[in-house]
Amino acid sequence: MRRITRIALPAPTQRALDRRQNKVDGKLEAGTLNAESEWKSARKTKPLKSALCTLKIMAGHRERCMYCCDSHGTDIDHFWPKSGYPDRMFLWPNLLLSCTECGRFKGNLFPVQDGLPELVNPTAENPWQFLDFDPETGVVVARYDVAANAENPKGVETVRILQLDRREALNDGYRKTWRRLVTAVEAALQQQSLDVGNLVSALRDADDHGLLGW
């Protein structure tokens, strides 16, 4: 997982999403809202396709899932699930790019503590404040909080919900990325004169899973 910088939507797309959200809010107040039907009717429209395109730009040229950074991001995920939080259904900060597997694992699982989500939002916070990485196994785990003498609760829930410690293919990908990063550093150190610019470029090229942040 890596920190993702959210960019603004094209103005017409933002206005269209605002109108959609106003419509949802009205139906919610009237008690006539069917969240799944509302999203399904909007999903194939031009504004939602534009929003998906913007999310893919945010994710980078490989268009990786914003949760696992491994699989291709294929669809829009509601960070706050639309079924439980329809008042956020078309809010731009609530939309993420997800792969099929992460979307299936997450579903409507969304633990909240004191009104705040216990799931890492990579577009709103640095995931590595809550998560840690084991280079030997390639497994992403919850960061240990020395002061609290316990694992970070948000890290624990993120690992549990996305099953980051149970996905062998994902763990293998993280481990391979780590080895590429190590190889890039070792190659740079063998040069007579260290070219920092070339090293940074090589590390970025090798970092498929956001491990530089870690």
Side-chain angles (χ1 to χ4, degrees):
M1 192 177 285
R2 59 161 51 90
R3 179 73 164 90
I4 304 291
T5 300
R6 187 171 291 276
I7 61 178
L9 287 169
T13 302
Q14 184 63 69
R15 289 195 294 269
L17 262 61
D18 290 342
R19 289 194 294 270
R20 286 275 182 181
Q21 189 60 57
N22 288 336
K23 180 180 177 182
V24 166
D25 292 343
K27 289 185 176 181
L28 184 61
E29 185 176 354
T32 60
L33 177 66
N34 182 319
E36 290 298 329
S37 176
E38 201 69 37
W39 179 253
K40 186 176 181 180
S41 68
R43 181 62 188 85
K44 294 184 179 181
T45 63
K46 185 176 180 180
L48 267 294
K49 290 180 179 179
S50 172
L52 177 60
C53 180
T54 304
L55 287 171
K56 290 182 176 181
I57 292 172
M58 287 166 50
H61 69 283
R62 294 182 181 177
E63 300 180 356
R64 299 290 181 93
C65 170
M66 292 179 177
Y67 290 119
C68 68
C69 287
D70 185 71
S71 301
H72 182 237
T74 56
D75 205 0
I76 296 175
D77 176 73
H78 293 86
F79 181 69
W80 294 75
K82 63 183 181 295
S83 58
Y85 305 91
D87 56 323
R88 300 172 183 260
M89 188 183 302
F90 293 101
L91 297 187
W92 175 232
N94 193 46
L95 305 183
L96 301 179
L97 182 68
S98 173
C99 67
T100 301
E101 190 168 29
C102 283
R104 177 167 54 85
F105 286 144
K106 178 175 176 281
N108 290 322
L109 296 176
F110 196 73
V112 175
Q113 181 70 32
D114 298 327
L116 298 176
E118 287 287 276
L119 179 69
V120 173
N121 181 347
T123 68
E125 51 202 351
N126 177 8
W128 297 112
Q129 290 182 347
F130 314 99
L131 302 171
D132 207 345
F133 173 67
D134 183 348
E136 294 297 322
T137 63
V139 174
V140 173
V141 298
R143 177 171 288 278
Y144 187 78
D145 187 335
V146 176
N149 194 29
E151 293 179 316
N152 182 279
K154 183 175 284 193
V156 169
E157 288 301 295
T158 298
V159 171
R160 179 184 69 84
I161 291 171
L162 300 177
Q163 300 189 26
L164 298 177
D165 57 345
R166 304 182 190 179
R167 296 161 65 176
E168 187 174 343
L170 175 61
N171 302 151
D172 185 56
Y174 272 83
R175 194 165 54 244
K176 287 179 179 177
T177 287
W178 170 250
R179 288 199 293 264
R180 286 196 296 270
L181 292 174
V182 171
T183 298
V185 172
E186 290 176 341
L189 292 176
Q190 290 175 3
Q191 302 298 316
Q192 290 184 348
S193 177
L194 178 62
D195 189 321
V196 177
N198 284 343
L199 174 58
V200 169
S201 179
L203 289 173
R204 288 175 174 168
D205 287 343
D207 186 25
D208 284 343
H209 295 90
L211 293 182
L212 286 177
W214 171 75

